[in-house]
Amino acid sequence: MWEVIRDNLVQIICAGAASFAVGTLVRIMRQFKSLVIAVRANGHDRLFRYGQFYIETNQITFEEMETLTEIYQGYHGLGGNGTGTEIFEKCKELPVVKERTKWNPYYVERK
């Protein structure tokens, strides 16, 4: 028994190391997949929330459009769905204003 272990010690160590490496890789891949899902969900929330606000106020500033474009590119690059593209396309058609004149009452102090 000890001779078999001694004769195959390198193979046993390599098998243990490979098993550990595969287990670690699987854990990292699961965490990475969860991270991608979380980032995509955050992009989805921001794209829909901002996009809906811009559509409801029927205006967008140049800076807001740049920010929305970056959010959309990240969201779309992570496999976001066509609904996000639809909202982004609607926002691209909005009139670009130099300064915002309409605000969401939720974010502005109520008088």
Side-chain angles (χ1 to χ4, degrees), residues 43 46-47 50 66-76:
R46 293 180 68 198
L47 180 63
Y50 293 168
E66 282 184 331
T67 301
L68 194 68
T69 300
E70 289 180 10
I71 293 169
Y72 171 74
Q73 289 173 344
Y75 172 71
H76 187 72

Side-chain angles (χ1 to χ4, degrees), residues 13-62:
I13 291 172
C14 288
S19 176
F20 176 77
V22 168
T24 301
L25 185 61
V26 167
R27 183 176 51 82
I28 289 171
M29 291 302 293
R30 284 182 183 155
Q31 288 177 338
F32 182 76
K33 183 178 178 183
S34 297
L35 180 63
V36 168
I37 290 169
V39 170
R40 186 174 53 219
N42 186 43
H44 175 273
D45 178 60
R46 293 180 68 198
L47 180 63
F48 279 71
R49 189 179 305 262
Y50 293 168
Q52 186 172 2
F53 169 68
Y54 302 144
I55 292 167
E56 286 178 5
T57 60
N58 196 37
Q59 63 177 214
I60 191 167
T61 66
F62 181 74

Side-chain angles (χ1 to χ4, degrees), residues 90-102:
K90 285 181 183 179
C91 289
K92 284 177 29 179
E93 296 171 4
L94 293 172
V96 177
V97 296
K98 186 174 181 177
E99 191 174 317
R100 174 161 292 287
T101 59
K102 299 175 185 173

Side-chain angles (χ1 to χ4, degrees), residues 80-94:
N81 61 18
T83 311
T85 302
E86 183 180 323
I87 287 179
F88 181 68
E89 293 298 325
K90 285 181 183 179
C91 289
K92 284 177 29 179
E93 296 171 4
L94 293 172

